[in-house]
Amino acid sequence: ASPMFKIGEVLIWGAFVFHALNGVRVVWMDLWGGSVIHKKLLVAVLVLSALVFVAGAYGMLRHGVGA
């Protein structure tokens, strides 16, 4: 795959991860009154998103190097 395709793939992965985890945060706030701790939930979503993004991006880019 071309380098531009790999960059696009990784960016879509990042958007997917954040969107999924942020959706869980929104449901949590709606169902269990998380509006009191919404900033802590947002920080948790950002940290988890970063960790999952890096792990997934590493796996995607690792297979593209030298292939």
Side-chain angles (χ1 to χ4, degrees):
S2 72
M4 290 302 288
F5 181 82
K6 282 291 185 185
I7 290 170
E9 186 178 36
V10 168
L11 290 175
I12 289 173
W13 168 245
F16 171 78
V17 169
F18 175 76
H19 188 73
L21 293 175
N22 193 51
V24 172
R25 179 184 72 91
V26 169
V27 168
W28 180 289
M29 288 176 27
D30 284 347
L31 295 179
W32 293 290
S35 61
V36 176
I37 58 169
H38 71 91
K39 288 183 182 179
K40 290 180 183 178
L41 290 173
L42 179 60
V43 169
V45 164
L46 291 173
V47 169
L48 275 171
S49 294
L51 293 173
V52 173
F53 170 75
V54 168
Y58 174 75
M60 285 183 217
L61 295 175
R62 182 176 51 127
H63 291 295
V65 175

